[in-house]
Amino acid sequence: MMVHHHLPLVLLLLCCLSFHASGSRVNITNNGYRDIVIAISPDVKADHADDLLDKIKLLITEASAVLYEATRHRSYIESVNILIPQTWVNVTANASTWENFQDAEIQIDLSNWKFGDRPYTVQLGGCGDPGEYIHLTPDYVMNFDSEFNIFEFGPAGKVIVREWARLRYGVFEEHGYTGDETPFPMFYRSASTQQSTDLVPNVCSDKLVEFNYDYGCHVDPQTGLYDTNCTYSFPDQFKPVSSIMSDYRMLSSAMHFCDDEESSVHKHNREAPNKHNAVCDTQSVWSVISRHADFVGNNNLPTNIIANSKPTFNVVRVFDGARYVLVTDVSSSMTSSDRIGRLYDAARRWIQYDIPDGTSLGIVKFHSYATVLSNLTVVNDETRQQLMDKVPNRTEGSTCIGCGLQYAINILKPSGNGGVIVLVTDGGENVYPYIRDVTPALIAAQIQVVSIAFGRDAENEIENLATKTNGKSYFINDNGSNDELNDAFTGSLTYLPAVPSENLTVLLFQKKYQKGNQFQDSVIVDWTVGRNLTFRVDYTNKNYLQGFSVKSPSGQVYSALTYDDPAKMAYIEIPGVAEDGIWNFTLTVGTSSSDYVNVIVTTKSKSDSAPITVECSVPSGTVVVDAAITLVRLVAVVKQGRNRVIGANVQAYVERPDTALQVIDLVDTGVGADTAKSDGIYSRFYIDLTQAGRYTLVCVVNGSQSSYIDDGEDQQQRTTMGEFNRVQSGGAFRVEKPLVTTYPPSRVTDLKIVSMQVDQMSVTIEWTATGQQLDQGIAKEYQIKYSNVFDHLMDNNFNSTLAVQFGPQDIVDGSLQPLQSGSKQRVSFSLPKAPENVTYYIAARAINDKSASSNTSNIVSVQIVRVKPPPTQPPTTRATTTTTKAPEITTSVNTGCNSVLTSSSGLLTSPDYPGPYPNNYDCKWTVRVAPPSKIRLTFSHFDIESPYDFVEVYDGPSTSFGHLLLKHTGATVPGVVVSSSNEMLVRFVTDGTGNYFRGWRATYTSA
């Protein structure tokens, strides 16, 4: 018998699909959130498992109490399931029946360079759209209540509630960022006469913002505004109670979200140029939250009867593998286009090669009634053939989908809640019970349904069923350009227990070949992969496959195919680790016009490092009720391990209901569907929803010399990717009511003030160009208006004469000619002279050639007056308790020169930071963490005299034997520095000249 593990497709989709946004199993009843899943990555070691679990419980208990107050007594956390890795066999746990890492609301996983130990939430959608998951690192959880972590991130309970608000309610941060690229600055011009300074911090606060400019802030002579790296600190007496979404340093006192009510003490600051105002069109955070299904109408009204907000916790682990039931339609219509035969072959290949040992599988067929062909059977070498033989290949009768689903529930129920049903059908249901009759039972049993619609006439309700059960959908087009059955079956394995990164199997290539004689093609094996490189050929007829050979980059030819006739496939597995480069293959087929072959190329990571992976999805879900209302985002997330890949060429292949294939370039420009620039999330709106029916999505990713891993290194040192290939299915979605008109342009969300010239009474603005329709093409024109009243630029007033439109006569420099969507546009306008206390507001709209306009952009403000230099003084001693500062901790340089720092995380600063540091200084600090951990050093501020003063970082405990990782001077913040061992040395050297530079600040963590 063929040994199934020769072809490692089983884990293919675990790394490469994410459909979490389409639904969540979390529910809220009587104000309590139930069944929140916190999942620990299999890459997290079990060394301190019990301590980590105890810390999780303390952290979430703290967060529950904060959530109760922040949501005004409308919600708290009632129950949590903590899913531990399958390998943590020595930890006491109950059996997991439905939880999985991929769908967990909170994932505890290793850090990436960009966030370090800072908690964050992955958000793919817009305002009000749910996020994907909250990411916490084990180090953060273990040390969440330490003085260092509270200083760096804020009180942990409030931090978690802030991330929960992003995840559950789809809100965004209310603060700014440093740097030239951000559209959300640290400071802005406030129209409030109560603020005494020129520019104020970009936050939402219930109190007037009291702050101190950090030393080194200055007015940039090129822009007339504060330098973009200017920062601030809060005095201890500034204790706002809102907003939780603002600067993390406000969290020590902040407990509420800002809202729009005029009488509210938590009044929203709609003028602040932050991301939430930009994405949510100046709506307050609380307004967005209160319209969520959890609270809208009379849902979960405020209550004071919650005596105890402490959650209950259930620690679970997968004991016996996942449970699947294949429910297949064998009604007479399955004979059309040989659907039953294609299903038979694909299902048998799935059982033979894809399903891992230990998984339990049942099989049900249905026509006018249902029949159990196999109860749950543990899959192994002895049972695979038995299960393959149970796959049906004959048709009969009508279509009772509900019958098949009910039998599957009965099979899964004795083992508890959970399980996955793979439902395959090609027709409309015409026998009771119907899908709607069994849906409540499926939801109650927490069973996920993967629907596979075979042909155009498949029952429409199956996509709704997949959405309601947090499953996913696939469509098999009888006349399509691809054979999606393999994608559908392997996609269902997303719900298997998670595995370490090095065990993930990656799809490099997949293509259908038909109607030809000889084909030549190629695939790239990049530096992250090469183990178990396998070329697999699935065929409809063995005689049609006449030959297949592979040539390595060095010229070695492999032509010995291993055949598996029962599964209708053959393969070549390259021994050892395959060499990098282009692998060419030649396929020779017969002359049949009805037969075809699929070539699939898979591999694993080269070593214990993680491979490049792709997540391909439609976050809006599997059913589009009305294409004019629901915008369809196509999204691909490209990663290498936990770091994002920037600069890749990403294309979405969408097959329409009429089988026409469209190719859409997905972009990472921060415009339209893409909510953030250069974050490794590539997106675009799909605008051709003119047909009712099912659409399929495949993401194709190619690397180039300009692609790189966003690992914190500067341009000279960062890791370039070179050429690579990835392909990944995004499943299917169905449109019920198609689009009968065209979309307007997307709204501009990153309008910003670049500079102002007082002498010319001019202002320069910049934005990312939007498109003719949403984020595609070129808009016809932009309307840019200004007013000294904020409300004059709101959507309901923009077309009135209350605001003044800039015309060609007002242009000082640049052009209003629209550019290609995603391009940067910049133009300078003159403004009328006005008293110095007049604040001008500016906003824009894009117009297309159908005269359809976008919604109004985010609104920016400016006063054309000379900005006074920030009142900062170089401190002569270390900062006192009058401002927010780092705590005195034993892991920082406050312990003195030539110290050895041994904790797992800590703080390093130049002496007397932020302010003048000593002259003629030469000091070293050795950082030593527990082996085998490495050290990650992250600088947050850097301002020293160039080139005379410098910081060196060595890979090792001394300058003599350590490799120099970094030597840096000047005022730019260097990239993240990572050691190769558990020791690192930091050296700071200054010369004898006086200075008024601010110094530097860095944190380190074990990695």
Side-chain angles (χ1 to χ4, degrees):
M1 171 182 171
M2 187 73 62
V3 180
H4 70 278
H5 58 259
H6 282 171
L7 294 182
L9 289 179
V10 55
L11 303 171
L12 178 60
L13 271 291
L14 293 182
C15 67
C16 305
L17 283 177
S18 177
F19 291 80
H20 184 70
S22 63
S24 171
R25 299 190 186 208
V26 174
N27 64 86
I28 181 170
T29 305
N30 296 327
N31 303 94
Y33 284 111
R34 301 176 180 176
D35 288 332
I36 292 175
V37 176
I38 301 175
I40 302 173
S41 166
D43 290 326
V44 176
K45 306 302 181 186
D47 299 348
H48 304 285
D50 290 333
D51 292 337
L52 181 62
L53 293 173
D54 288 341
K55 285 288 192 175
I56 291 172
K57 295 173 184 178
L58 291 173
L59 174 60
I60 301 304
T61 298
E62 181 179 324
S64 179
V66 173
L67 183 64
Y68 183 61
E69 292 300 322
T71 58
R72 308 178 187 187
H73 296 188
R74 297 189 71 169
S75 69
Y76 69 102
I77 299 172
E78 183 175 342
S79 65
V80 175
N81 297 312
I82 305 175
L83 176 65
I84 64 175
Q86 200 170 9
T87 55
W88 287 19
V89 294
N90 294 323
V91 177
T92 301
N94 297 315
S96 169
T97 58
W98 59 268
E99 303 86 354
N100 63 70
F101 181 81
Q102 290 72 29
D103 286 338
E105 283 70 38
I106 300 177
Q107 296 181 3
I108 297 179
D109 202 350
L110 305 183
S111 65
N112 64 30
W113 85 267
K114 188 170 186 176
F115 294 95
D117 285 332
R118 183 177 299 279
Y120 66 90
T121 301
V122 175
Q123 293 176 275
L124 302 183
C127 185
D129 294 332
E132 299 296 294
Y133 59 87
I134 298 170
H135 180 279
L136 305 178
T137 69
D139 282 347
Y140 175 80
V141 175
M142 291 292 288
N143 302 289
F144 76 84
D145 51 0
S146 69
E147 189 177 14
F148 175 80
N149 270 19
I150 292 172
F151 171 75
E152 280 293 303
F153 312 121
K158 296 178 182 180
V159 172
I160 299 303
V161 169
R162 178 151 109 171
E163 299 310 315
W164 179 258
R166 299 180 204 262
L167 176 77
R168 185 74 178 179
Y169 314 124
V171 298
F172 297 85
E173 61 268 25
E174 295 183 295
H175 60 77
Y177 296 93
T178 57
D180 294 330
E181 291 296 316
T182 178
F184 313 119
M186 292 291 285
F187 294 87
Y188 78 106
R189 172 71 67 180
S190 171
S192 172
T193 57
Q194 297 174 299
Q195 292 286 173
S196 60
T197 55
D198 277 337
L199 301 175
V200 297
N202 181 6
V203 297
C204 188
S205 169
D206 63 303
K207 299 183 182 299
L208 288 179
V209 181
E210 300 177 61
F211 68 99
N212 299 313
Y213 297 96
D214 288 344
Y215 177 66
C217 284
H218 63 277
V219 176
D220 187 332
Q222 299 298 316
T223 67
L225 304 170
Y226 291 165
D227 175 77
T228 56
N229 289 314
C230 185
T231 56
Y232 56 84
S233 54
F234 298 119
D236 285 350
Q237 67 267 20
F238 177 60
K239 296 189 180 299
V241 295
S242 57
S243 161
I244 285 180
M245 301 307 295
S246 280
D247 191 309
Y248 74 93
R249 292 171 295 182
M250 296 165 60
L251 291 180
S252 59
S253 58
M255 180 62 85
H256 296 279
F257 302 107
C258 289
D259 80 38
D260 288 325
E261 293 296 326
E262 287 294 334
S263 59
S264 174
V265 296
H266 311 296
K267 185 64 179 169
H268 173 56
N269 182 3
R270 59 182 182 161
E271 296 183 18
N274 54 54
K275 186 168 185 177
H276 181 80
N277 274 337
V279 177
C280 292
D281 200 9
T282 74
Q283 300 174 79
S284 72
V285 169
W286 182 249
S287 293
V288 177
I289 292 175
S290 60
R291 288 198 300 273
H292 190 273
D294 293 347
F295 306 122
V296 72
N298 293 320
N299 290 340
N300 298 290
L301 292 173
T303 177
N304 292 315
I305 62 172
I306 305 300
N308 185 3
S309 64
K310 182 178 181 180
T312 59
F313 295 93
N314 180 30
V315 180
V316 297
R317 178 172 63 84
V318 176
F319 288 168
D320 301 318
R323 295 172 296 142
Y324 280 75
V325 179
L326 173 61
V327 178
T328 178
D329 188 346
V330 295
S331 61
S332 56
S333 58
M334 285 288 287
T335 58
S336 177
S337 300
D338 192 31
R339 293 169 187 162
I340 191 68
R342 291 156 60 198
L343 171 63
Y344 177 78
D345 294 337
R348 286 166 61 86
R349 281 193 292 265
W350 181 59
I351 295 170
Q352 176 77 327
Y353 293 104
D354 295 351
I355 299 179
D357 283 344
T359 304
S360 295
L361 176 66
I363 302 176
V364 174
K365 72 174 182 179
F366 66 88
H367 43 90
S368 303
Y369 55 91
T371 304
V372 175
L373 301 178
S374 175
N375 282 303
L376 284 181
T377 301
V378 177
V379 177
N380 53 43
D381 287 346
E382 286 69 40
T383 60
R384 286 182 191 275
Q385 189 62 52
Q386 300 170 22
L387 288 165
M388 290 169 64
D389 292 341
K390 298 289 186 180
V391 176
N393 61 357
R394 295 181 181 178
T395 62
E396 56 184 316
S398 301
T399 307
C400 182
I401 301 176
C403 298
L405 292 171
Q406 186 60 62
Y407 273 53
I409 294 172
N410 296 340
I411 290 175
L412 291 168
K413 193 172 182 179
S415 301
N417 282 353
V420 178
I421 293 174
V422 180
L423 171 64
V424 186
T425 184
D426 77 333
E429 51 186 351
N430 49 33
V431 178
Y432 179 85
Y434 299 113
I435 292 174
R436 64 176 178 269
D437 299 313
V438 297
T439 296
L442 289 164
I443 295 172
Q446 297 176 307
I447 295 170
Q448 292 173 289
V449 177
V450 177
S451 69
I452 303 176
F454 226 140
R456 298 187 179 284
D457 298 325
E459 172 61 46
N460 284 342
E461 188 63 25
I462 64 174
E463 282 90 5
N464 295 327
L465 177 63
T467 298
K468 291 175 182 178
T469 61
N470 200 29
K472 50 188 179 237
S473 299
Y474 293 88
F475 171 53
I476 314 303
N477 195 329
D478 290 328
N479 301 308
S481 57
N482 292 301
D483 188 355
E484 297 88 357
L485 266 174
N486 286 320
D487 293 335
F489 276 112
T490 53
S492 69
L493 300 178
T494 302
Y495 307 110
L496 290 171
V499 298
S501 300
E502 61 267 23
N503 291 339
L504 295 173
T505 300
V506 178
L507 179 64
L508 299 183
F509 182 93
Q510 179 172 280
K511 190 172 181 179
K512 179 180 178 180
Y513 297 90
Q514 190 176 23
K515 296 180 181 178
N517 180 255
Q518 190 173 83
F519 301 92
Q520 293 184 332
D521 226 322
S522 62
V523 63
I524 296 173
V525 175
D526 59 84
W527 60 270
T528 68
V529 293
R531 281 190 303 130
N532 301 118
L533 178 63
T534 304
F535 292 79
R536 165 176 150 178
V537 185
D538 298 346
Y539 50 79
T540 54
N541 185 329
K542 185 177 180 179
N543 293 328
Y544 183 67
L545 174 60
Q546 296 187 353
F548 185 79
S549 63
V550 178
K551 181 186 287 188
S552 73
S554 61
Q556 184 172 354
V557 176
Y558 301 85
S559 58
L561 280 169
T562 300
Y563 283 86
D564 182 355
D565 292 337
K568 290 189 176 180
M569 59 161 292
Y571 65 89
I572 294 174
E573 183 173 356
I574 307 303
V577 177
E579 58 187 293
D580 299 354
I582 299 175
W583 287 70
N584 296 292
F585 63 84
T586 301
L587 170 68
T588 304
V589 296
T591 59
S592 169
S593 60
S594 60
D595 289 310
Y596 61 87
V597 298
N598 282 310
V599 176
I600 302 168
V601 184
T602 61
T603 185
K604 288 186 177 181
S605 65
K606 185 163 294 184
S607 61
D608 58 359
S609 63
I612 302 167
T613 60
V614 179
E615 299 167 2
C616 181
S617 66
V618 182
S620 54
T622 58
V623 179
V624 179
V625 177
D626 188 341
I629 298 174
T630 302
L631 299 182
V632 173
R633 278 182 168 90
L634 310 178
V635 178
V637 182
V638 186
K639 298 187 292 185
Q640 193 268 324
R642 291 160 187 86
N643 294 322
R644 301 287 170 79
V645 175
I646 312 300
N649 298 315
V650 183
Q651 294 180 312
Y653 286 70
V654 179
E655 189 171 289
R656 302 188 315 185
D658 62 0
T659 74
L661 186 66
Q662 295 176 303
V663 182
I664 298 100
D665 291 327
L666 304 187
V667 297
D668 192 9
T669 57
V671 66
D674 195 60
T675 57
K677 180 182 178 181
S678 298
D679 64 351
I681 300 175
Y682 301 78
S683 314
R684 206 136 211 180
F685 287 119
Y686 182 61
I687 62 175
D688 194 12
L689 297 168
T690 56
Q691 301 174 33
R694 294 179 171 96
Y695 296 71
T696 62
L697 168 66
V698 174
C699 296
V700 177
V701 181
N702 296 294
S704 66
Q705 294 304 317
S706 61
S707 306
Y708 65 93
I709 299 172
D710 190 11
D711 54 7
E713 300 292 348
D714 59 29
Q715 188 168 356
Q716 289 73 32
Q717 296 177 307
R718 66 193 183 194
T719 305
T720 57
M721 296 304 305
E723 294 185 339
F724 67 89
N725 302 137
R726 295 293 185 274
V727 58
Q728 195 57 57
S729 170
F733 60 94
R734 180 172 55 80
V735 174
E736 294 184 350
K737 184 178 180 182
L739 192 68
V740 295
T741 180
T742 59
Y743 289 110
S746 288
R747 174 174 173 263
V748 172
T749 59
D750 64 348
L751 185 69
K752 72 174 183 176
I753 303 292
V754 176
S755 65
M756 64 175 185
Q757 297 294 328
V758 177
D759 295 338
Q760 295 181 348
M761 278 299 293
S762 68
V763 61
T764 301
I765 60 174
E766 183 182 85
W767 69 97
T768 305
T770 183
Q772 164 74 6
Q773 289 194 67
L774 299 178
D775 55 5
Q776 298 187 43
I778 303 175
K780 181 181 179 182
E781 63 175 304
Y782 287 102
Q783 292 180 348
I784 302 178
K785 293 188 175 185
Y786 69 92
S787 174
N788 59 5
V789 178
F790 186 89
D791 282 347
H792 289 176
L793 295 171
M794 298 295 286
D795 275 324
N796 55 343
N797 290 325
F798 192 89
N799 284 333
S800 72
T801 58
L802 295 172
V804 180
Q805 183 169 336
F806 287 112
Q809 72 279 0
D810 301 311
I811 297 176
V812 177
D813 190 29
S815 170
L816 281 174
Q817 180 65 38
L819 301 178
Q820 180 70 38
S821 174
S823 304
K824 283 294 184 185
Q825 301 228 200
R826 181 178 290 198
V827 63
S828 300
F829 293 112
S830 61
L831 283 163
K833 291 183 183 279
E836 285 198 355
N837 62 350
V838 171
T839 298
Y840 285 115
Y841 300 96
I842 302 173
R845 276 186 175 181
I847 314 294
N848 67 13
D849 59 11
K850 304 292 185 183
S851 298
S853 66
S854 69
N855 288 336
T856 306
S857 71
N858 59 305
I859 301 174
V860 294
S861 60
V862 66
Q863 283 184 4
I864 310 298
V865 296
R866 298 192 189 280
V867 176
K868 302 182 184 77
T872 65
Q873 295 293 327
T876 56
T877 59
R878 177 165 294 279
T880 66
T881 57
T882 59
T883 60
T884 303
K885 63 182 184 68
E888 302 290 325
I889 54 178
T890 58
T891 55
S892 79
V893 296
N894 299 331
T895 57
C897 188
N898 298 316
S899 300
V900 178
L901 292 73
T902 58
S903 63
S904 62
S905 61
L907 171 71
L908 295 124
T909 69
S910 55
D912 297 326
Y913 174 85
Y917 43 78
N919 297 323
N920 297 313
Y921 194 67
D922 187 348
C923 192
K924 306 178 186 69
W925 297 273
T926 303
V927 182
R928 183 178 300 133
V929 299
S933 296
K934 300 175 183 178
I935 299 163
R936 182 183 300 270
L937 183 70
T938 305
F939 289 88
S940 58
H941 299 87
F942 205 95
D943 182 25
I944 63 177
E945 186 181 19
S946 175
Y948 309 106
D949 305 337
F950 56 87
V951 172
E952 294 177 333
V953 180
Y954 289 87
D955 191 10
S958 72
T959 58
S960 301
F961 300 102
H963 169 65
L964 182 64
L965 296 174
L966 174 75
K967 183 173 183 178
H968 198 72
T969 187
T972 61
V973 177
V976 173
V977 185
V978 180
S979 67
S980 64
S981 69
N982 68 315
E983 292 183 303
M984 174 186 285
L985 183 136
V986 180
R987 182 189 184 197
F988 183 37
V989 179
T990 69
D991 70 350
T993 60
N995 74 80
Y996 290 97
F997 294 90
R998 188 179 173 199
W1000 54 269
R1001 180 181 186 276
T1003 57
Y1004 76 86
T1005 58
S1006 59

